[in-house]
Amino acid sequence: CSTFDQESSTDQYMTPEDEWDRDLLLDPAWEKQQRKTFTAWCNSHLRKAGTQIENIEDDFRNGLKLMLLLEVISGERLPKPDKGKMRFHKIANVNKALDFICSKGVKLVSIGAEEIVDGNTKMTLGMIWTIILRFAIQDISVEETSAKEGLLLWCQRKTAPYRNVNVQNFHISWKDGLALCALIHRHRPDLIDYSKLRKDDPIGNLNTAFEVAEKYLDIPKMLDAEDIVNTPKPDEKAIMTYVSCFYHAFAGAEQAETAANRICKVLAVNQENEKLMEEYEKLASELLEWIRKTIPWLENRTAEQQMRAMQQKLEDFRDYRRIHKPPRVQEKCQLEINFNTLQTKLRLSNRPAFMPSEGKMVSDIANAWKGLEQVEKGYEEWLLTEIRRLERLDHLAEKFKQKCSLHQSWTSGKEELLSMKDYESASLMEIRALMRKHEAFESDLAAHQDRVEQIAAIAQELNELDYHDASSVNARCQGICDQWDNLGTLTQKRRDSLERVEKLWETIDQLYLEFAKRAAPFNNWMDGAMEDLQDMFIVHSTEEIHSLITAHDQFKATLPEADKERMATMGIQSEIVKIAQTYGIKLSGVNPYTNLSPQDITNKWEAVKHLVPLRDQMLQEEVARQQANERLRRQFAAQANIIGPWIQTKMEEIGHVSVDIAGSLEEQMNNLKQYEQNIINYKSNIDKLEGDHQLSQESLIFDNKHTNYTMEHIRVGWEQLLTTIARTINEVENQILTRDAKGISQEQLNEFRASFNHFDRKRNGMMDPDDFRACLISMGYDLGEVEFARIMTLVDSNNTGVVTFQAFIDFMTRETAETDTADQVMASFKILASDKAYITVDELRRELPAEQAEYCISRMTRYTELQRSNRGCALDLSSNIMYLYDQVH
């Protein structure tokens, strides 16, 4: 290729080789213009590879940047260059570049590798001009003219409407700068106000064109305005090289529009999908935030000290169940429907499945919901247990106060009595009386020991149950115990004193003593009976109240025997009176051994007989209340035993409808909609059952032996039924969407359903891998292990071990999808960028609609090489096109 062609021609259509041979002796001004223009043109391409040249005859001498320039402008790979620095290495590299130029059909004249290596300026400029002709000008075609003539015709057509512009060549016609400004204004009227240009200001016009082209069109400045103006005839090759850059910048406008439309289409799909994803993320975040805020409330087990406060907590929980939770159940169901719809759209457009943000998967929401329901169940159980505890505490506290009052009433004045020393001045009879009286007191004291133990036991139970006023209970109990110990000590001291005096006095009135001994326990029995008859009680069933009635009947059966004891005690008093009357004894009217009088016994006996019918009335009222509770239990059970099986039956019917191939998908949809309406109409029965359940809770009914269904079972079953019918309708909608998008007929869908149902041996709407393999073989697939494994990754991407009907249909229709490929998107962007490694912000805003241009700008990274040179804002294509494509898909 380095041979010399001695022929030359002066014809206007001479070849580039002949033209350069004619101009071997360059005019110095032309050589200067060519050096600047060719250097700028080479750097406009070399910067795509991250390099540039400073001296055109020196920087190409080793052949390395020359080979790199050819690779950039051709898009092809040249042979691997020699890495040595010897002359023969440089010649070899230059020859590789010249051979590549020859391979493109270019005949090099008088240009050899040795001249390039030696830095021959004219030969180097000639070689670069040859490259420019071949790769920048030769392919220009306008109305059956090409190369130089085509470029000239293009310039004439574009500048024809402009005043003072007459393009006839590539030298004199461009000296005033108006032709360049006209070219820019014709394609970008927003960049230059042509009406303000003057023909008598060529340098201003040229500089305006150079600056606008460099700033807005990414065409580097290749000429100096002064050189062009001051040269009688500017260098034609420099002008042609610079003007060809305008052709390549503007001639692809139609291609750019097509590419922009393609990008708009892709970005529109991307924006729609992103909107759906954002809506999903927003709804999922709101639902998870509600669950996150609700769980701590349900986990709060801080018990209230008052029954009213705990009942308010129970009422708040009922409001949560009736008012706050149902809308969230609907949101959860809608979230699953939106997620399935989005996944279906992505599958239909052959896009990867949508992966929500971490922690916002449907499974994450289901787990959070499950955790909420577990905490919710535990909270309700805790509330009921705490109410029972407070009820028990109130009962024990009242019982404690009653027993303490009775005991303190009995002990009142006992310490002062035991501390008296009346025996020191008493007579024998009085001493005897005091001794017997003290013995009676000891008997009475022993009888009250049981009550003190009961008081201590109740106080201990109140402490164990964490009674809110345990401190006052403990203080009162401690006071009673301390007083009781003091009474025991004082009693023992008085006995010792009386026994010491008793040796002196031996006569004791046996009758008074016998009366006192019999009257004291009988009186204590009556006190206990009155206490029992007035004792408060709490029961939760008819069995418990009947047990209390039985105990009360047993007590009434002992009354005749007690009456005999009363008569016997009163007989002793009669005997005393009789003896006194018989022996003329003057009675003082006071039994020296006891404070109990016959009238006291009579009064208490009458009080006991009065309390017995009152106790009967209380027990019968409680029997009526428990019978009413039993009716509530039976009423709830009667409805629950109907609703529970109804829900299960509807679940099974929906399952049968979802696998039934009779009729079209629309008919299946109508059937499911009718099922859904019937279910919604049935909601009134659930509400009625909720009302009965609330009445039961308000009556403190906590168990029901007449049914195995609890309200919680019914609620869970109802929510599952609503979710199942919604999910089944969504699946049929997705099948319709798939059918319409893929062009599948109803007969094909029925055939798919028939094949699927035939091999769905477990009748659960899913096929095992072995059944799926058998199904494919029956449909004519010739499957090896590797091919079947590949198919399984398509239909079971989550590796669940089963194939659903939706996945089966997706597989059968997968190959019919028509989508935009990554290569098409890449090619479209490169057209907009004029084959650069980057695209400017202005180019995006010019070629794309405003919304989608800003969408790209906000997501693409900056092109660092252009930023370092402070030449404007540009976006890197190599690292962003695949990112945008992946976002779309």
Side-chain angles (χ1 to χ4, degrees):
C1 293
S2 59
T3 59
F4 289 88
D5 189 343
Q6 302 298 326
E7 299 177 1
S8 62
S9 173
T10 57
D11 189 273
Q12 62 173 332
Y13 300 109
M14 67 178 66
T15 65
E17 296 82 357
D18 294 338
E19 189 176 16
W20 185 257
D21 187 48
R22 182 195 65 186
D23 297 329
L24 281 177
L25 298 177
L26 286 175
D27 182 272
W30 286 9
E31 179 178 337
K32 177 182 178 183
Q33 292 176 14
Q34 287 183 15
R35 184 192 301 271
K36 179 176 179 62
T37 302
F38 291 178
T39 299
W41 183 86
C42 291
N43 284 335
S44 70
H45 293 286
L46 286 174
R47 68 183 178 185
K48 298 176 183 177
T51 187
Q52 63 180 7
I53 62 173
E54 298 294 339
N55 191 302
I56 195 167
E57 61 266 26
D58 290 337
D59 292 346
F60 286 138
R61 291 178 63 181
N62 61 6
L64 296 178
K65 290 189 177 181
L66 179 60
M67 295 178 70
L68 181 61
L69 174 65
L70 291 172
E71 287 184 345
V72 171
I73 62 177
S74 67
E76 301 179 19
R77 298 289 298 178
L78 271 68
K80 185 176 181 181
D82 293 353
K83 296 299 183 181
K85 297 183 179 180
M86 303 297 290
R87 177 178 172 80
F88 71 89
H89 289 128
K90 298 178 180 179
I91 292 174
N93 289 336
V94 174
N95 274 327
K96 290 176 182 179
L98 296 178
D99 291 343
F100 178 79
I101 296 173
C102 291
S103 68
K104 298 302 178 180
V106 178
K107 182 180 179 181
L108 293 175
V109 179
S110 303
I111 300 176
E114 293 79 2
E115 286 81 359
I116 303 302
V117 172
D118 292 337
N120 187 311
T121 301
K122 294 181 176 58
M123 292 301 176
T124 301
L125 293 176
M127 177 189 65
I128 297 303
W129 171 244
T130 301
I131 293 172
I132 293 172
L133 282 175
R134 172 59 183 85
F135 293 100
I137 299 176
Q138 178 177 311
D139 292 336
I140 295 175
S141 178
V142 179
E143 296 185 6
E144 299 183 358
T145 61
S146 59
K148 176 181 177 181
E149 292 74 19
L151 179 61
L152 183 62
L153 180 58
W154 179 79
C155 294
Q156 292 171 341
R157 294 292 174 83
K158 295 298 181 181
T159 61
Y162 291 86
R163 59 181 174 79
N164 298 325
V165 177
N166 183 17
V167 178
Q168 297 298 325
N169 50 55
F170 287 106
H171 38 79
I172 301 300
S173 299
W174 304 85
K175 286 190 66 174
D176 57 10
L178 291 177
L180 286 174
C181 292
L183 276 180
I184 295 173
H185 185 269
R186 179 64 180 269
H187 295 90
R188 291 292 303 277
D190 56 311
L191 300 180
I192 291 179
D193 187 352
Y194 189 85
S195 62
K196 294 183 179 181
L197 300 179
R198 303 196 323 272
K199 187 173 179 64
D200 58 356
D201 185 18
I203 292 180
N205 297 338
L206 288 169
N207 284 330
T208 298
F210 294 158
E211 291 171 2
V212 169
E214 183 173 27
K215 183 176 180 181
Y216 297 103
L217 304 179
D218 198 30
I219 298 175
K221 184 178 180 181
M222 300 181 182
L223 300 167
D224 285 329
E226 291 79 2
D227 293 342
I228 295 176
V229 173
N230 296 330
T231 302
K233 180 181 179 183
D235 182 63
E236 185 178 46
K237 299 176 180 61
I239 299 296
M240 284 180 63
T241 301
Y242 187 61
V243 172
S244 68
C245 294
F246 285 88
Y247 173 84
H248 290 294
F250 294 136
E254 183 176 352
Q255 291 179 322
E257 181 179 357
T258 302
N261 291 336
R262 182 183 296 276
I263 292 173
C264 289
K265 175 185 175 184
V266 172
L267 294 179
V269 174
N270 183 42
Q271 288 174 311
E272 180 182 359
N273 289 341
E274 279 193 354
K275 181 178 179 182
L276 291 176
M277 295 174 188
E278 290 172 356
E279 290 177 353
Y280 174 88
E281 292 280 344
K282 179 176 179 296
L283 189 58
S285 298
E286 292 175 351
L287 183 57
L288 288 171
E289 179 65 16
W290 178 81
I291 293 175
R292 185 188 67 79
K293 291 182 178 178
T294 303
I295 286 180
W297 174 65
L298 295 174
E299 288 178 338
N300 182 13
R301 298 296 192 270
T302 303
E304 301 292 343
Q305 297 179 351
Q306 301 296 329
M307 175 68 76
R308 182 185 301 275
M310 287 305 298
Q311 288 176 339
Q312 182 59 46
K313 278 181 175 283
L314 182 61
E315 187 62 28
D316 293 341
F317 181 73
R318 290 171 181 160
D319 290 340
Y320 157 80
R321 278 276 182 80
R322 294 192 305 264
I323 300 173
H324 303 296
K325 185 181 177 183
R328 299 299 179 177
V329 173
Q330 295 296 327
E331 290 180 6
K332 175 176 173 290
C333 179
Q334 187 61 43
L335 191 68
E336 294 178 359
I337 292 174
N338 291 349
F339 180 84
N340 292 335
T341 300
L342 175 59
Q343 298 293 41
T344 300
K345 289 185 176 182
L346 291 174
R347 283 197 304 270
L348 291 176
S349 59
N350 202 23
R351 267 58 169 180
F354 166 57
M355 291 298 293
S357 301
E358 183 178 357
K360 297 180 182 177
M361 295 288 292
V362 172
S363 58
D364 295 328
I365 295 172
N367 290 334
W369 190 266
K370 182 178 179 181
L372 174 69
E373 292 184 331
Q374 290 175 347
V375 174
E376 176 183 315
K377 181 178 180 182
Y379 185 75
E380 183 178 21
E381 293 174 352
W382 172 77
L383 278 177
L384 297 178
T385 301
E386 201 56 32
I387 289 175
R388 294 192 194 103
R389 184 183 70 84
L390 289 178
E391 187 179 30
R392 174 68 176 165
L393 282 175
D394 290 344
H395 172 69
L396 287 175
E398 187 63 28
K399 191 172 184 179
F400 176 82
K401 293 176 183 178
Q402 184 182 31
K403 286 186 178 292
C404 287
S405 297
L406 290 173
H407 175 79
Q408 290 173 335
S409 176
W410 179 81
T411 58
S412 177
K414 295 294 189 294
E415 291 171 293
E416 293 79 6
L417 183 63
L418 292 172
S419 300
M420 291 176 61
K421 295 184 179 181
D422 52 342
Y423 54 83
E424 292 180 350
S425 60
S427 64
L428 177 60
M429 293 301 293
E430 290 172 342
I431 291 298
R432 288 180 176 178
L434 290 174
M435 188 62 188
R436 299 299 179 263
K437 183 178 180 180
H438 187 70
E439 289 176 353
F441 174 78
E442 286 180 325
S443 178
D444 199 10
L445 186 69
H448 281 80
Q449 176 68 33
D450 181 62
R451 179 179 292 159
V452 174
E453 293 175 354
Q454 290 177 4
I455 290 173
I458 294 173
Q460 182 179 358
E461 187 172 358
L462 286 171
N463 279 276
E464 291 174 350
L465 293 176
D466 195 24
Y467 182 55
H468 69 92
D469 198 18
S471 59
S472 63
V473 169
N474 293 335
R476 192 171 186 182
C477 180
Q478 187 63 44
I480 289 174
C481 291
D482 292 343
Q483 184 189 39
W484 186 256
D485 292 339
N486 190 40
L487 283 175
T489 302
L490 292 175
T491 300
Q492 186 60 40
K493 285 183 179 180
R494 185 171 179 81
R495 166 170 278 282
D496 294 341
S497 299
L498 289 172
E499 286 178 350
R500 188 173 63 251
V501 178
E502 188 179 359
K503 294 178 182 180
L504 301 174
W505 310 97
E506 296 179 353
T507 305
I508 298 176
D509 192 344
Q510 292 296 330
L511 289 176
Y512 272 137
L513 180 60
E514 182 66 16
F515 177 87
K517 286 184 176 181
R518 298 194 70 166
F522 183 72
N523 178 70
N524 186 59
W525 176 88
M526 287 191 297
D527 287 341
M530 292 173 65
E531 180 180 342
D532 292 337
L533 289 171
Q534 298 178 78
D535 189 17
M536 299 176 64
F537 57 84
I538 178 171
V539 295
H540 297 94
S541 65
T542 55
E543 289 80 7
E544 292 178 3
I545 190 60
H546 285 313
S547 176
L548 290 179
I549 291 174
T550 300
H552 184 61
D553 291 341
Q554 291 174 353
F555 167 77
K556 290 192 294 184
T558 64
L559 289 178
E561 198 66 31
D563 191 47
K564 290 180 182 179
E565 179 64 19
R566 182 186 67 82
M567 294 299 295
T569 302
M570 298 302 289
I572 294 174
Q573 179 65 26
S574 299
E575 185 66 17
I576 292 173
V577 174
K578 182 178 178 180
I579 292 174
Q581 291 175 351
T582 302
Y583 295 100
I585 298 174
K586 185 179 180 180
L587 300 175
S588 64
V590 178
N591 191 326
Y593 304 107
T594 180
N595 290 327
L596 291 172
S597 67
Q599 188 61 43
D600 293 335
I601 300 297
T602 300
N603 291 341
K604 285 193 176 181
W605 178 253
E606 293 300 323
V608 168
K609 291 195 298 181
H610 176 71
L611 290 173
V612 169
L614 294 179
R615 183 73 169 183
D616 287 333
Q617 181 180 355
M618 290 174 61
L619 292 172
Q620 290 305 317
E621 289 175 353
E622 183 62 27
V623 167
R625 191 175 76 85
Q626 291 301 324
Q627 288 175 347
N629 289 349
E630 183 67 13
R631 287 194 295 273
L632 285 176
R633 289 188 182 95
R634 293 181 181 276
Q635 181 177 340
F636 177 88
Q639 294 185 75
N641 290 335
I642 295 174
I643 293 175
W646 184 88
I647 291 176
Q648 183 62 34
T649 300
K650 291 302 177 184
M651 292 283 286
E652 295 173 355
E653 291 176 356
I654 292 171
H656 291 318
V657 170
S658 65
V659 300
D660 189 8
I661 63 174
S664 64
L665 290 177
E666 286 75 11
E667 292 173 347
Q668 292 184 30
M669 177 64 71
N670 292 335
N671 291 337
L672 289 172
K673 291 289 187 179
Q674 185 175 358
Y675 270 103
E676 184 182 40
Q677 187 59 46
N678 292 338
I679 291 170
I680 293 173
N681 294 338
Y682 200 78
K683 181 65 166 57
S684 59
N685 297 316
I686 303 297
D687 295 337
K688 186 176 184 301
L689 189 62
E690 283 281 6
D692 292 343
H693 177 64
Q694 181 175 349
L695 290 176
S696 298
Q697 287 196 330
E698 291 173 350
S699 299
L700 299 180
I701 300 174
F702 306 116
D703 58 356
N704 195 334
K705 65 182 179 180
H706 303 296
T707 181
N708 292 327
Y709 293 98
T710 65
M711 196 63 228
E712 182 63 26
H713 293 152
I714 298 298
R715 291 192 192 103
V716 171
W718 180 253
E719 292 173 0
Q720 290 177 348
L721 180 60
L722 292 176
T723 302
T724 299
I725 186 63
R727 186 184 297 114
T728 305
I729 290 174
N730 181 249
E731 289 176 355
V732 175
E733 289 174 343
N734 287 340
Q735 292 177 24
I736 293 174
L737 188 60
T738 301
R739 180 197 66 189
D740 296 338
K742 302 297 185 177
I744 303 173
S745 67
Q746 184 63 47
E747 290 75 18
Q748 287 177 305
L749 277 177
N750 290 342
E751 181 181 355
F752 291 158
R753 171 58 77 182
S755 299
F756 185 91
N757 290 345
H758 178 74
F759 289 93
D760 180 14
R761 307 186 192 282
K762 295 181 180 179
R763 295 297 181 263
N764 60 355
M766 294 178 286
M767 287 193 293
D768 294 333
D770 292 339
D771 295 336
F772 180 57
R773 180 194 290 271
C775 179
L776 292 179
I777 293 174
S778 71
M779 298 178 72
Y781 282 81
D782 185 12
L783 297 176
E785 290 298 327
V786 175
E787 177 62 11
F788 181 71
R790 183 190 69 80
I791 294 175
M792 282 300 296
T793 61
L794 297 177
V795 299
D796 185 20
S797 58
N798 294 327
N799 199 23
T800 59
V802 295
V803 179
T804 64
F805 179 64
Q806 186 63 43
F808 178 74
I809 289 182
D810 290 343
F811 168 74
M812 299 303 296
T813 60
R814 189 179 300 278
E815 299 303 324
T816 62
E818 181 178 353
T819 59
D820 298 306
T821 66
D823 290 339
Q824 289 174 322
V825 177
M826 176 71 80
S828 297
F829 266 105
K830 284 193 173 183
I831 290 174
L832 293 185
S834 301
D835 208 305
K836 300 189 297 293
Y838 61 87
I839 187 168
T840 65
V841 171
D842 293 332
E843 287 174 335
L844 276 177
R845 288 173 174 161
R846 183 176 70 247
E847 301 296 342
L848 299 181
E851 179 183 357
Q852 294 173 334
E854 296 304 324
Y855 175 82
C856 291
I857 293 169
S858 65
R859 284 162 172 76
M860 297 175 70
T861 57
R862 300 298 184 258
Y863 186 69
T864 56
E865 291 297 327
L866 197 63
Q867 284 185 327
R868 284 199 290 266
S869 62
N870 296 322
R871 298 178 63 189
C873 182
L875 306 172
D876 190 356
L877 289 181
S878 61
S879 61
N880 286 297
I881 293 179
M882 291 310 298
Y883 165 78
L884 286 175
Y885 182 79
D886 290 341
Q887 289 296 306
V888 172
H889 288 68

